[in-house]
Amino acid sequence: MGSASSSYPPRALYLDVDGKMQKVIFSQHCSPYDIRELLCSSSNIARNTAISLVDPDGALVSIDPTMPSNSPSFLYKVVPQSTGQAGEKEDMFQNVLTQVAEQFSRAFRINELKTEVTNRLAMLEKRVELEGLKVLEIEKCKNDLRKLRDELTSRGGGRMNCACKYNFSDDGKKLSPRRDVPSYPKYTLSQETIEALKKPTFDVWHWEHNEMLSCLEYMYHDLGLVKEFNMNPITLKRWLLSIQENYRDNPFHNFRHCFCVSQMMYGMIHLCNLQERLTVTDMCILMTAAVCHDLDHPGYNNTYQINARTELAVRYNDISPLENHHCAVAFQIISLPECNIFANTEPEVFKQMRQAIITLILATDMARHGEILDSFKKKADNFDFTNEDHVKCLKMVLIKCCDISNEVRPTEVAEPWVDCLLEEYFMQSDREKSEGLPVAPFMDRDKVTKPTAQIGFIKFVLIPMFETVMKLFPQIEEIMVQPLRDSRDHYEELKQIDDAMTEVARFCCPNLSADFRDRLHREK
């Protein structure tokens, strides 16, 4: 049996190439494509050109291994086909290739795309900045108008409403525009500061706003609130910034007071081991209520709001106008997506927390002091931490303690707050006099002194409340209740000195008016 090659001997074709004979030999194993390439090459025609094979009579010869053989006297001729249809296909193919090349080129133009994106971001940033400037200009105009109204009021004696940032006409949220990432720096708290934050002796006067923000941020992390409620850390920063921006620059009810109350709450949580007695949700309610409890305080108390029939008093029907307003502003801020620290909290849980926070903020109205303390006293002797009503009452008392806890702190920290409070009181009493409204004696600059302002408050409000809390948490006696007793004794000594000076002045200067003598002693 012969080999495969001997079974299929090579074949020969004779071609007419430009009037000359050309012999072409190929194997019968060749494909039609191979034969076409061989014919193109032999006839000096470009490869991949569409060709036809014709005999001397002009008949087409199929191009494949089985094509009929010819002889030198019967030459085949290779003829290129018309470029019409093939050219169209080639053009179409070329167009497709061109488009694909353009797409690849566009996809890989990284540097150009970066430049384009950077330019667009810069334009948007500039636009946001310009829009922000417009808002700031509007706010400046509004502030100027408020000052003008106050000036007109003081001159004409007319009664004006106590302006608040949020009023009936507010459809949207009135928060200052701010870039996406908060700008206040992240402070690394020393171990000494971390330990000091847990104590009522913490000196709140040594800290700037940014530092206080970082301390509050630390508290939320340390108590496990960020983890428990899956808070976005950047959202927490934005929320705290918005809180700070929505406290006014009042002498007393300002952001530093907010920080004082929040720090005292954080201190009481640690001092009373509340993390072992209450839930993490309770911790979050206590801290958030403390942070928000005086938002947008206008510097004039509920008595003024009601007597002056301000917009807030009308809106809340004379029922805790300021505290209701603080709650409204707090949840208006939280309703902003970029400030919603509870965005990842289950709706039902958030609903319960919202109601609890509102309850605590409303409890800071001193008009309800007796009612709340009496309720707590009834529960204190047989307090049950598993009883929801008992725990609710405890939380109300805790925020009340923190709200008015300045006298728990060392004298050098507490006494400046008395000056701040009296300054705010005097501003209100001056306004009440100019508007013909009743003036409380403890707010009248012509009648009150620092000792008289503090003694009664410490003896009849602070000490009884803290001593009641002490029944549940005996550990607060040394670090919280005793400083209150010392403060009471301090102001009683000051009052004795004032009284003695009044007697001396009366004896030595009998011709001086009583009002002048009193004013002289107050100034001293």
Side-chain angles (χ1 to χ4, degrees):
M1 187 174 183
S3 66
S5 59
S6 62
S7 300
Y8 298 98
R11 298 193 57 190
L13 286 180
Y14 297 91
L15 304 177
D16 178 5
V17 180
D18 299 328
K20 296 179 180 179
M21 185 188 74
Q22 178 75 40
K23 184 179 181 180
V24 177
I25 299 175
F26 63 94
S27 168
Q28 291 189 33
H29 293 289
C30 290
S31 68
Y33 179 82
D34 294 332
I35 297 172
R36 286 177 184 274
E37 282 201 333
L38 184 60
L39 293 176
C40 286
S41 177
S42 302
S43 302
N44 300 319
I45 297 173
R47 294 174 63 185
N48 298 326
T49 302
I51 59 172
S52 299
L53 191 63
V54 296
D55 63 15
D57 297 327
L60 290 173
V61 180
S62 63
I63 302 174
D64 58 60
T66 62
M67 70 177 73
S69 300
N70 63 341
S71 65
S73 60
F74 194 77
L75 301 177
Y76 290 159
K77 190 170 185 176
V78 178
V79 180
Q81 288 186 356
S82 168
T83 57
Q85 185 176 358
E88 289 177 2
K89 290 182 179 178
E90 187 177 347
D91 290 343
M92 183 174 67
F93 184 73
Q94 191 61 40
N95 287 337
V96 171
L97 284 177
T98 302
Q99 290 179 16
V100 170
E102 287 179 358
Q103 293 293 335
F104 270 98
S105 175
R106 190 175 302 168
F108 289 99
R109 285 186 315 177
I110 302 298
N111 291 333
E112 293 181 22
L113 286 174
K114 280 185 178 179
T115 304
E116 183 179 351
V117 170
T118 302
N119 290 339
R120 288 190 181 183
L121 283 175
M123 290 175 61
L124 287 173
E125 202 171 57
K126 187 172 182 181
R127 183 175 175 186
V128 169
E129 189 173 345
L130 289 173
E131 292 298 324
L133 288 174
K134 288 180 183 177
V135 174
L136 292 176
E137 286 297 322
I138 292 171
E139 288 300 317
K140 184 177 182 300
C141 289
K142 287 183 178 179
N143 288 333
D144 291 342
L145 282 172
R146 290 192 191 102
K147 290 178 182 177
L148 182 60
R149 289 173 64 193
D150 289 342
E151 185 178 346
L152 289 172
T153 302
S154 63
R155 289 182 180 179
R159 184 175 300 174
M160 300 292 291
N161 276 339
C162 179
C164 289
K165 286 185 180 179
Y166 297 83
N167 51 49
F168 284 126
S169 62
D170 285 341
D171 297 322
K173 313 299 185 297
K174 294 184 64 178
L175 293 175
S176 302
R178 171 167 298 283
R179 296 189 185 276
D180 186 54
V181 179
S183 59
Y184 76 84
K186 171 71 175 178
Y187 289 94
T188 302
L189 304 183
S190 67
Q191 192 59 39
E192 182 182 2
T193 299
I194 289 172
E195 291 305 314
L197 270 175
K198 300 175 183 177
K199 300 174 183 177
T201 52
F202 186 82
D203 190 344
V204 297
W205 293 106
H206 288 171
W207 303 86
E208 300 295 332
H209 278 186
N210 285 343
E211 295 170 319
M212 290 188 280
L213 286 168
S214 287
C215 287
L216 290 172
E217 188 180 352
Y218 170 81
M219 294 174 199
Y220 268 73
H221 281 278
D222 180 58
L223 292 173
L225 309 183
V226 176
K227 182 178 180 181
E228 176 72 18
F229 297 97
N230 195 18
M231 296 179 186
N232 184 324
I234 297 298
T235 303
L236 177 62
K237 280 177 173 285
R238 289 199 203 96
W239 176 70
L240 287 171
L241 273 169
S242 296
I243 293 294
Q244 181 227 313
E245 289 171 349
N246 284 277
Y247 272 92
R248 300 196 190 189
D249 293 328
N250 299 314
F252 184 90
H253 291 100
N254 49 42
F255 179 65
R256 192 174 299 276
H257 168 66
C258 153
F259 177 71
C260 275
V261 177
S262 304
Q263 186 271 321
M264 187 63 73
M265 180 66 76
Y266 179 71
M268 290 196 76
I269 287 172
H270 284 284
L271 184 62
C272 301
N273 297 317
L274 293 180
Q275 288 167 295
E276 298 177 5
R277 304 287 191 92
L278 304 178
T279 66
V280 180
T281 300
D282 288 327
M283 301 297 102
C284 192
I285 291 166
L286 286 168
M287 288 301 301
T288 305
V291 169
C292 298
H293 83 284
D294 269 334
L295 273 167
D296 195 39
H297 195 297
Y300 302 92
N301 67 14
N302 280 331
T303 301
Y304 174 83
Q305 305 294 327
I306 294 168
N307 289 339
R309 301 175 186 175
T310 64
E311 185 179 7
L312 285 180
V314 171
R315 183 189 307 178
Y316 295 112
N317 303 310
D318 295 350
I319 301 171
S320 303
L322 290 182
E323 289 71 26
N324 275 295
H325 180 61
H326 305 326
C327 292
V329 177
F331 285 98
Q332 194 165 10
I333 293 172
I334 289 175
S335 71
L336 298 173
E338 63 271 22
C339 298
N340 187 3
I341 57 174
F342 300 118
N344 298 319
T345 303
E346 290 295 325
E348 189 57 36
V349 175
F350 173 72
K351 181 180 177 181
Q352 294 171 3
M353 291 179 68
R354 167 178 153 80
Q355 188 55 57
I357 291 168
I358 290 171
T359 298
L360 296 199
I361 294 176
L362 293 179
T364 60
D365 183 357
M366 286 304 294
R368 298 182 57 201
H369 177 78
E371 160 211 336
I372 294 171
L373 186 58
D374 287 344
S375 175
F376 182 67
K377 283 180 177 178
K378 293 175 183 177
K379 299 173 175 61
D381 292 332
N382 298 292
F383 195 87
D384 181 2
F385 279 95
T386 64
N387 185 310
E388 187 176 335
D389 189 48
H390 284 210
V391 171
K392 175 183 174 181
C393 191
L394 170 62
K395 289 188 291 188
M396 292 168 72
V397 171
L398 286 174
I399 195 169
K400 284 178 58 61
C401 286
C402 295
D403 188 25
I404 54 178
S405 62
N406 285 326
E407 291 303 326
V408 170
R409 301 183 186 274
T411 302
E412 63 273 13
V413 179
E415 196 155 356
W417 281 115
V418 182
D419 297 325
C420 293
L421 184 61
L422 289 177
E423 182 182 349
E424 198 166 292
Y425 280 173
F426 296 159
M427 286 172 57
Q428 176 172 323
S429 63
D430 290 346
R431 184 166 183 170
E432 287 169 334
K433 290 174 184 177
S434 70
E435 295 178 1
L437 297 173
V439 179
F442 68 89
M443 301 178 78
D444 191 338
R445 69 171 70 247
D446 296 326
K447 297 179 180 178
V448 71
T449 64
K450 195 182 292 186
T452 57
Q454 290 300 96
I455 292 172
F457 187 69
I458 295 171
K459 287 176 67 173
F460 302 114
V461 177
L462 289 177
I463 291 178
M465 181 168 64
F466 276 86
E467 285 182 338
T468 305
V469 175
M470 190 176 71
K471 292 180 180 180
L472 283 187
F473 308 106
Q475 61 267 42
I476 75 168
E477 181 173 17
E478 180 181 354
I479 198 169
M480 300 188 85
V481 178
Q482 190 55 46
L484 288 175
R485 296 166 180 161
D486 294 341
S487 180
R488 173 200 58 197
D489 296 342
H490 168 69
Y491 283 111
E492 285 184 338
E493 289 177 6
L494 287 181
K495 186 175 185 301
Q496 290 176 2
I497 293 172
D498 281 354
D499 291 344
M501 289 180 65
T502 302
E503 287 299 317
V504 169
R506 184 179 302 165
F507 178 77
C508 297
C509 309
N511 296 326
L512 291 178
S513 68
D515 287 344
F516 184 81
R517 284 198 300 267
D518 290 344
R519 183 171 300 177
L520 180 64
H521 294 150
R522 276 196 302 275
E523 290 174 355
K524 288 183 178 179

